[in-house]
Amino acid sequence: MNTWKQLLLGSDQQIGRRNMIWNMIGSAIYALSSMMIGMAVTRILGADLGGIFFFAFTTFGQQMFIVSYFGMRPIQITDVQEEHSFGEYRRFRVYTSALAILTGFFYVLFWVENPLKKMVVILMVCYKVLDGFADVYESEFQRNGKLYLTGKSNTFRTLLSVGSFLLALVLTKDLVGSCVIAVAAQVLGFLLFNQSLIQTLPGIVTAIRPGAVRELWQSGKWLFLSAFLDLYIFSASKYAIDAYMEPSASTYFGTIFIPTSVINLAAGFVIRPFLTTLSEYWEAGAYEKFWKVIQKIACAIAVFTGLGMLAAYLFGIPVLALLLGAGAGRGLMPLKGALLINILGGGFYALLNLLYYVLVIVKDQKSIFVIYGIGCMAAVILSPWFVKNYGIHGGAYSYLLLMMGLTALFVGAALKNYRKVRNAHGSN
């Protein structure tokens, strides 16, 4: 075990470079595997079972991940004065993870009728909740300056669990059994890459003060509610398609949604390196420089979106159909327009994420919550109506309209803050 720990820890030489490289590797593997795993299920088991898995893994399971995660990572990694111990963060995450699993059981008990779908959904909830619980360890690695351990955990846990799932699926063609294997592999990965390393970090405190959990609830509740509503709005079309169409429709919509996720991943790589610079400009009162950086990033997002739409127009449906397999792939052929609409909506989503960070930097969390609240009410009305009337294309229309509306509200809130400080302090 000591040899295993030393192999993962390595030395402290070039730690900044290792942090950057392993974080990029871990983020990319986690995101790409999450996008592609549903397509693999469809190729092996067909569109109906693929649709069940798409919904369980990428929609409801991800929603329960947000409950377990509870917006804690930004709070934990910036708690450099260690106002709260690792033990307190971990105890809080035990409670949020239990809440997520109970919510999952409640959902399948009252809203899911198909017995096989019940099992797949609850197993994927457990899988995603384990992801959320592992994050408290990965956040502690980052808080201690060892972001590379977070990247390694993301990389190796994902490869182990997804690889085990796909191997079991190929050998057995049993979706439920393969989901059980995936959860077991996730537990093993957590023990190997998280639990085994935490005590190697210097000064880890596991003591828990009375009232600490309540304090963390107060610190994270608005970020959690905003993130929960954000994901619901992002997934509202998927929920509507799952509720009002056949299971195979979830496969087709989930597949044409994948390029949208690629755009968001690429935009994230552009946005994150500038967040520290943007914070420094804002704190220094360099508002013109701050706004110019925002404009440059927005232009980059527009370029990514335009290139994505061009590639999708030329090659999108044939490539995605090839990945799904001949049988399921035929169902994608009429969906070229919906694919392009989704990608355009993804561009707006990437832009509103940029503006979300802007409002976080300027400390206007109230506007964030209000905007998401408005968007959630709109999603509850728009998504079911469009899907009932226009099917998969309706899901794409409602997604685009919601993203455009949210982006407009975020632009308004960002400009309001920018003009307020510029008028108060003058331009710099």
Side-chain angles (χ1 to χ4, degrees), residues 2 5 100 169 177 242 261-262 318 347 407 427:
N2 287 332
K5 291 176 183 178
L169 196 67
D242 178 75
S261 301
V262 173
T407 301
S427 61

Short mmCIF file of all heavy atoms in Angstrom, two decimals, residues 2 5 100 169 177 242 261-262 318 347 407 427:
data_model
loop_
_atom_site.label_atom_id
_atom_site.label_comp_id
_atom_site.label_asym_id
_atom_site.label_seq_id
_atom_site.Cartn_x
_atom_site.Cartn_y
_atom_site.Cartn_z
N ASN A 2 1.98 1.25 0.75
CA ASN A 2 2.86 2.41 0.74
C ASN A 2 3.46 2.65 -0.65
O ASN A 2 3.60 3.80 -1.09
CB ASN A 2 3.99 2.23 1.77
CG ASN A 2 3.48 2.38 3.19
OD1 ASN A 2 2.51 3.09 3.42
ND2 ASN A 2 4.14 1.72 4.14
N LYS A 5 0.78 4.27 -2.76
CA LYS A 5 0.63 5.69 -2.45
C LYS A 5 1.74 6.52 -3.06
O LYS A 5 1.51 7.58 -3.63
CB LYS A 5 0.58 5.88 -0.94
CG LYS A 5 -0.66 5.33 -0.27
CD LYS A 5 -0.58 5.49 1.24
CE LYS A 5 -1.80 4.87 1.93
NZ LYS A 5 -1.71 4.97 3.40
N ALA A 100 -29.42 12.75 -1.74
CA ALA A 100 -29.51 12.44 -3.17
C ALA A 100 -30.03 11.03 -3.41
O ALA A 100 -30.88 10.79 -4.27
CB ALA A 100 -28.14 12.62 -3.83
N LEU A 169 -20.81 -5.22 -20.19
CA LEU A 169 -21.89 -5.08 -21.16
C LEU A 169 -21.62 -5.90 -22.41
O LEU A 169 -22.50 -6.58 -22.95
CB LEU A 169 -22.08 -3.60 -21.51
CG LEU A 169 -23.38 -3.22 -22.21
CD1 LEU A 169 -24.56 -3.40 -21.27
CD2 LEU A 169 -23.32 -1.78 -22.69
N GLY A 177 -27.03 -5.77 -14.77
CA GLY A 177 -25.83 -6.38 -14.20
C GLY A 177 -24.59 -5.54 -14.45
O GLY A 177 -23.72 -5.41 -13.57
N ASP A 242 -38.22 12.18 -22.23
CA ASP A 242 -38.38 10.94 -21.47
C ASP A 242 -39.82 10.73 -21.04
O ASP A 242 -40.32 9.60 -21.02
CB ASP A 242 -37.46 10.97 -20.24
CG ASP A 242 -37.61 9.73 -19.37
OD1 ASP A 242 -37.11 8.67 -19.76
OD2 ASP A 242 -38.25 9.84 -18.31
N SER A 261 -22.18 19.40 -25.79
CA SER A 261 -21.30 19.19 -24.64
C SER A 261 -19.84 19.40 -25.01
O SER A 261 -19.04 19.89 -24.19
CB SER A 261 -21.51 17.78 -24.07
OG SER A 261 -22.85 17.60 -23.67
N VAL A 262 -19.46 19.05 -26.25
CA VAL A 262 -18.09 19.27 -26.70
C VAL A 262 -17.78 20.77 -26.74
O VAL A 262 -16.70 21.21 -26.32
CB VAL A 262 -17.86 18.63 -28.08
CG1 VAL A 262 -16.48 19.00 -28.63
CG2 VAL A 262 -18.01 17.11 -27.99
N PRO A 318 -23.97 11.69 -40.26
CA PRO A 318 -23.31 10.44 -40.64
C PRO A 318 -22.32 9.92 -39.59
O PRO A 318 -22.27 8.72 -39.34
CB PRO A 318 -22.58 10.82 -41.95
CG PRO A 318 -23.36 11.95 -42.50
CD PRO A 318 -23.83 12.72 -41.31
N GLY A 347 -23.92 26.98 -27.79
CA GLY A 347 -23.11 28.19 -27.81
C GLY A 347 -23.63 29.25 -26.85
O GLY A 347 -22.86 29.89 -26.12
N THR A 407 -29.35 33.79 -21.51
CA THR A 407 -28.19 34.60 -21.90
C THR A 407 -28.55 36.08 -21.89
O THR A 407 -27.78 36.92 -21.40
CB THR A 407 -27.69 34.19 -23.28
OG1 THR A 407 -27.32 32.81 -23.26
CG2 THR A 407 -26.49 35.02 -23.70
N SER A 427 -14.08 55.18 -15.42
CA SER A 427 -13.49 54.08 -16.19
C SER A 427 -11.99 54.07 -16.02
O SER A 427 -11.35 55.10 -15.85
CB SER A 427 -13.84 54.22 -17.67
OG SER A 427 -13.35 55.42 -18.17
#
